[in-house]
């Protein structure tokens, strides 16, 4: 009779993973977070600039500025998503939603945009902190957004 033999093949990757050393997942996460935090000040400056551009658009209130609102708000949301900006991200997303609804329905309202932009400024200036004030601001933005609910 013949005997069954089992042969275990060890791939180069398995050999490399079996060697001691490397980083733990926790260490890799910590280093990645530290690397990201080095960019926080620059990103917050970029967000400051975007809010300034939105303020200018809202102050002028020109019809040609309508298309720019969504793009600027979307860029703000993209940047805010990298860091814990809490209410700033939510307010920016609300402005994107508002802009899209107004563009879709053909009913544009600059004061509604201005309310959102002022909320963004207040939240950004306040350090993007979650609290009673930011909750109140976000609730107000939700009410403004509700006035432009899509037709069903």
């Amino acid at each position: 009779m013949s005997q069954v033999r089992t042969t275990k093949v060890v791939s180069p990757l398995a050999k490399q993973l079996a060697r001691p050393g490397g980083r733990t997942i926790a260490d890799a996460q910590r280093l990645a977070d530290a690397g990201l935090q080095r960019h926080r000040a620059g990103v917050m400056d970029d967000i400051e600039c975007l809010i300034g551009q939105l303020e200018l658009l809202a102050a002028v209130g020109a019809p040609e500025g309508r298309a720019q609102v969504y793009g600027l708000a979307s860029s703000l949301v993209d940047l805010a998503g990298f860091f814990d900006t809490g209410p700033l991200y939510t307010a920016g997303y609300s402005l994107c939603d508002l802009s899209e609804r107004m563009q879709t329905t053909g009913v544009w309202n600059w004061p509604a945009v201005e309310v959102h932009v002022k909320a963004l400024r207040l939240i950004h200036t306040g350090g993007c902190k979650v609290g009673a004030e930011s909750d109140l601001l976000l609730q107000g933005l939700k009410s403004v957004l509700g006035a432009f609910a899509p037709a069903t």
Side-chain angles (χ1 to χ4, degrees):
M1 282 198 159
S2 48
Q3 297 251 346
V4 176
R5 276 195 259 171
T6 305
T7 305
K8 185 173 182 177
V9 177
V10 180
S11 70
L13 179 59
K15 287 178 185 176
Q16 188 176 2
L17 290 173
R19 283 188 297 185
R23 290 194 173 100
T24 65
I25 292 173
D27 284 343
Q29 176 79 37
R30 184 181 46 76
L31 290 170
D33 288 342
L36 188 60
Q37 288 304 317
R38 284 195 296 264
H39 298 284
R40 183 177 178 83
V43 167
M44 294 312 259
D45 289 344
D46 291 344
I47 288 173
E48 168 79 23
C49 182
L50 289 169
I51 293 171
Q53 291 174 36
L54 285 164
E55 287 171 332
L56 184 59
L57 285 176
V60 172
E64 58 272 7
R66 295 173 181 176
Q68 295 175 25
V69 170
Y70 183 88
L72 291 170
S74 178
S75 294
L76 186 144
V77 168
D78 289 344
L79 291 173
F82 280 107
F83 301 97
D84 182 16
T85 56
L88 184 74
Y89 180 89
T90 305
Y93 189 88
S94 181
L95 180 55
C96 287
D97 197 4
L98 175 71
S99 173
E100 185 176 355
R101 288 180 187 193
M102 290 191 300
Q103 289 282 10
T104 301
T105 61
V107 178
W108 192 268
N109 184 294
W110 279 109
V113 172
E114 190 173 10
V115 166
H116 275 75
V117 174
K118 285 182 178 182
L120 286 166
R121 171 63 67 204
L122 287 170
I123 292 167
H124 184 264
T125 303
C128 304
K129 294 179 181 146
V130 176
E133 295 86 7
S134 65
D135 289 345
L136 189 60
L137 282 171
L138 294 177
Q139 194 63 24
L141 296 182
K142 191 174 182 180
S143 296
V144 170
L145 189 59
F148 295 90
T152 54

